[in-house]
Amino acid sequence: MDPSHYAIPLAPIIFFIVIRLVFRRQNTLRHVAGPPSPSWIFGHILQLILPPQYGDYEFRWQDKFGPVYRIKGCFGEDRLLVADPAALQYILNSPNFERGGAGKEHRRMRAALNFGFSAAAVRRYQAVFEKAAEMVSEKLEGSLDTSTNVCPLLSLATLRAISEACLRYTLEDLGNDFVANNIEVMRLSASRSAPQLLLDALSLRFPLWLLRATAKYLPTSAFKAMREGRYLAENIGHRIIRERVDAAHRGVDMDDDLFSHLLDPDVPNNMHLSKKEVVSQVGLLLVAGQDTTANTMAYALLELARNPEFQAQLRNEIHSTLGTSGGGIAYDSMPLLNALIKETNRFYPAAPLLDRVATKDTTLPLAQPIITTTGEQISHIPILKGQFLTLGIGSYQRLKSHWGADAHKFNPHRWLDGTVNRGDAVGIGPYANLLSFSGGLRTCLGWRFSILEMQVILSHLVGRYSFAEVVEETIRPTYLNNLLPIVQSGERAVPLYITRI
Ligand code: HEM
């Protein structure tokens, strides 16, 4: 690729960064301890985002400096890496920190979308998840007793589940172009080139509007596939609107469907979305809910393959529960299944790093005081408006103080033997004191959806098949927008030997 292709889109970004650096205020983080910076241009960003395996540096820094420390962003910028539970709790629940996007608009969108993600709404999707699980097992039948990459199958299942539950569309309704492009986006997300990764690292620093404007013109294949994906998702959005409006005119009852609700003229004003906003929700839902859940399930199957004893115990639990349930399965009452799902979310959070920027001067409370480089012990850190913070969700979920001395080990038993139920943890996040689904004002809307989907699909698969590791493959959890399982070839894959029970 000719480097001049990047020059035009990068010029405004560099200009923006230089202006910010020139006009920055006195740094309140200068006495917070942290690792020495390896480079002025990249700071710690490459070590944080692109280590050989996710967490290689981050977890060592946490051991040395504690759950809050200073790192360098690009071009000498100071950033705070935060994994302290009280500080995370404060940031996630405070309007003084944003991720981008207007607060009021965001609250309105959440209120509108929440209709499709309440506990009652999600219970109604169980049959959809069961059909998605059936689809995976039908496809597996063709590749038993050989090494099979479960990632694409699980991605197709989660795409199908969101589409059927939220849009009332089958995969065929989404169209071949959409499904083929979706597979391409998934493939490219695991094989981005160094300039694309650098751009990602840089993009943490500039506002969303500038990123969007720039991304429009980037000539890389990943951005092209993403643009195509957005275009196709918008077409689906327009089609949904046409069909729902038409159905409403014909007096057809759309039966509590999310998108009919979003388009209902009688919904209260504070939840009303314009047609343009409704269209944009289609792409958001398909992207937010597909690979996050698919990768989490792939990691769960991988860990079961590594631990045949736990796998056999879980299979017994599944068989005995399915045998006695008479159809209405109480997934929440299956201790081993839920311990597996919790531990997988703890160990492999789909979004291990989240970024926030302070919208006001404020003070960050700490659960665990820190010693500054001047030897002072502090339990609060002043934060200036405009300060970037990186929320170390992955690091928080490895705190020995919270999860036990073996926090760096995958061990579902910690959820069964009382290690994490001592009651001294700060109540944080929507699920099991984990922050995999974020928390506070931007808590994942689909967390209940995702948990039930995983419960249904994993118990269906583990009940029918046995999973074994492909020993010659090394799988590296790698942070490429999502925590992806990457094999030696650079592909996103969890290859497993699968046999019928
Ligand atoms: C294992 C599965 C999942 C994980 C780990 C996950 C994680 C997350 C995280 C961390 C965020 C917040 C990002 C931030 O604070 O910057 C988020 C937001 C969101 N998620 Fe999920 N998610 C999962 C599944 C789903 C599913 C299945 C759906 C929908 C069907 C969904 C829909 C959303 C939406 C709409 C938002 C935006 C919420 C907002 O901005 O207020 N997610 N998710």
Side-chain angles (χ1 to χ4, degrees):
M1 173 72 62
D2 176 355
S4 66
H5 280 150
Y6 294 100
I8 296 174
L10 283 179
I13 294 165
I14 308 258
F15 177 73
F16 177 80
I17 291 170
V18 171
I19 293 290
R20 274 182 54 102
L21 286 172
V22 170
F23 290 102
R24 70 182 162 183
R25 286 196 280 164
Q26 171 87 16
N27 179 359
T28 57
L29 305 185
R30 65 190 185 285
H31 296 311
V32 176
S37 173
S39 136
W40 183 79
I41 294 184
F42 293 108
H44 294 98
I45 295 297
L46 295 182
Q47 291 174 314
L48 188 68
I49 297 181
L50 288 179
Q53 173 155 307
Y54 172 70
D56 280 352
Y57 293 91
E58 195 187 326
F59 299 150
R60 257 188 280 143
W61 294 335
Q62 171 149 295
D63 281 346
K64 183 155 183 202
F65 299 104
V68 175
Y69 53 92
R70 181 167 56 102
I71 55 168
K72 288 284 181 190
C74 294
F75 307 109
E77 174 214 16
D78 277 310
R79 262 171 187 261
L80 204 58
L81 199 137
V82 184
D84 176 285
L88 287 171
Q89 176 88 313
Y90 178 71
I91 295 166
L92 290 166
N93 287 285
S94 162
N96 297 343
F97 295 92
E98 251 305 336
R99 193 195 60 178
K104 227 174 168 184
E105 295 301 292
H106 172 248
R107 277 200 298 278
R108 192 168 50 81
M109 300 262 199
R110 272 188 79 91
L113 279 180
N114 196 44
F115 177 85
F117 295 101
S118 64
V122 166
R123 271 195 297 275
R124 290 200 296 270
Y125 301 148
Q126 186 166 322
V128 169
F129 300 148
E130 282 161 4
K131 278 196 274 160
E134 283 291 347
M135 183 192 78
V136 178
S137 52
E138 274 163 31
K139 291 191 184 290
L140 279 182
E141 286 296 320
S143 57
L144 293 178
D145 307 314
T146 166
S147 166
T148 303
N149 176 9
V150 292
C151 290
L153 290 178
L154 294 170
S155 286
L156 201 63
T158 51
L159 178 65
R160 173 184 169 140
I162 305 165
S163 180
E164 290 196 358
C166 300
L167 314 181
R168 298 283 163 99
Y169 274 11
T170 63
L171 286 178
E172 291 73 37
D173 293 331
L174 288 181
N176 289 342
D177 284 355
F178 182 88
V179 176
N181 186 74
N182 180 272
I183 292 168
E184 181 65 359
V185 171
M186 298 303 152
R187 193 183 65 75
L188 288 169
S189 67
S191 61
R192 288 176 297 163
S193 64
Q196 286 158 1
L197 292 167
L198 172 61
L199 202 69
D200 268 5
L202 284 167
S203 72
L204 301 176
R205 297 182 49 105
F206 37 80
L208 219 54
W209 62 264
L210 183 56
L211 179 62
R212 284 197 187 124
T214 314
K216 257 189 199 172
Y217 302 103
L218 283 172
T220 65
S221 40
F223 275 104
K224 277 183 194 154
M226 278 189 240
R227 280 198 296 271
E228 176 73 1
R230 175 181 287 196
Y231 167 76
L232 293 167
E234 280 179 5
N235 279 349
I236 294 170
H238 287 298
R239 201 167 90 211
I240 290 175
I241 292 182
R242 273 198 311 275
E243 288 171 6
R244 299 300 196 276
V245 170
D246 185 47
H249 282 154
R250 286 185 285 116
V252 177
D253 180 9
M254 295 306 284
D255 187 26
D256 286 346
D257 141 45
L258 170 62
F259 277 80
S260 301
H261 170 79
L262 294 180
L263 291 161
D264 185 345
D266 296 332
V267 293
N269 257 353
N270 60 347
M271 288 192 211
H272 190 264
L273 300 191
S274 68
K275 285 190 180 158
K276 192 170 165 214
E277 286 169 331
V278 172
V279 166
S280 70
Q281 301 315 306
V282 173
L284 170 73
L285 288 180
L286 293 177
V287 170
Q290 186 186 6
D291 256 16
T292 44
T293 311
N295 290 330
T296 309
M297 287 194 287
Y299 284 122
L301 293 178
L302 173 67
E303 290 295 343
L304 287 179
R306 288 173 175 167
N307 189 341
E309 201 185 323
F310 186 79
Q311 186 182 156
Q313 290 166 353
L314 173 61
R315 187 166 299 111
N316 283 341
E317 177 182 273
I318 293 167
H319 288 164
S320 57
T321 313
L322 296 185
T324 55
S325 67
I329 304 157
Y331 289 102
D332 285 343
S333 66
M334 297 171 72
L336 299 184
L337 176 66
N338 292 301
L340 172 71
I341 293 174
K342 286 174 189 166
E343 185 67 353
T344 312
N345 273 287
R346 180 188 77 84
F347 206 76
Y348 298 107
L353 298 168
L354 295 176
D355 282 290
R356 291 295 187 266
V357 60
T359 53
K360 275 190 186 150
D361 291 357
T362 183
T363 304
L364 204 58
L366 304 178
Q368 182 183 322
I370 55 168
I371 308 289
T372 64
T373 52
T374 56
E376 199 189 341
Q377 176 170 313
I378 55 169
S379 53
H380 288 84
I381 302 176
I383 300 289
L384 294 180
K385 179 179 174 179
Q387 174 66 55
F388 280 92
L389 298 100
T390 297
L391 312 190
I393 304 303
S395 286
Y396 159 70
Q397 291 178 179
R398 300 292 181 99
L399 286 178
K400 292 181 184 150
S401 52
H402 258 56
W403 313 105
D406 66 345
H408 287 294
K409 196 174 158 229
F410 187 94
N411 174 16
H413 291 286
R414 78 180 71 251
W415 300 94
L416 302 164
D417 62 13
T419 309
V420 289
N421 294 324
R422 292 188 311 263
D424 57 355
V426 179
I428 193 169
Y431 174 70
N433 271 340
L434 296 169
L435 285 175
S436 307
F437 295 103
S438 189
L441 306 175
R442 282 191 180 262
T443 297
C444 171
L445 266 173
W447 74 269
R448 289 191 192 88
F449 183 109
S450 174
I451 297 296
L452 182 60
E453 183 178 21
M454 290 191 265
Q455 288 172 328
V456 172
I457 296 181
L458 288 174
S459 48
H460 178 100
L461 294 180
V462 179
R464 279 174 179 70
Y465 302 103
S466 161
F467 297 87
E469 232 184 324
V470 177
V471 275
E472 61 274 17
E473 245 339 330
T474 308
I475 298 170
R476 289 178 301 116
T478 307
Y479 181 46
L480 296 162
N481 286 334
N482 246 304
L483 192 63
L484 304 184
I486 301 291
V487 291
Q488 280 119 322
S489 65
E491 195 194 351
R492 165 186 165 245
V494 171
L496 297 172
Y497 282 113
I498 305 173
T499 44
R500 202 180 302 114
I501 298 295

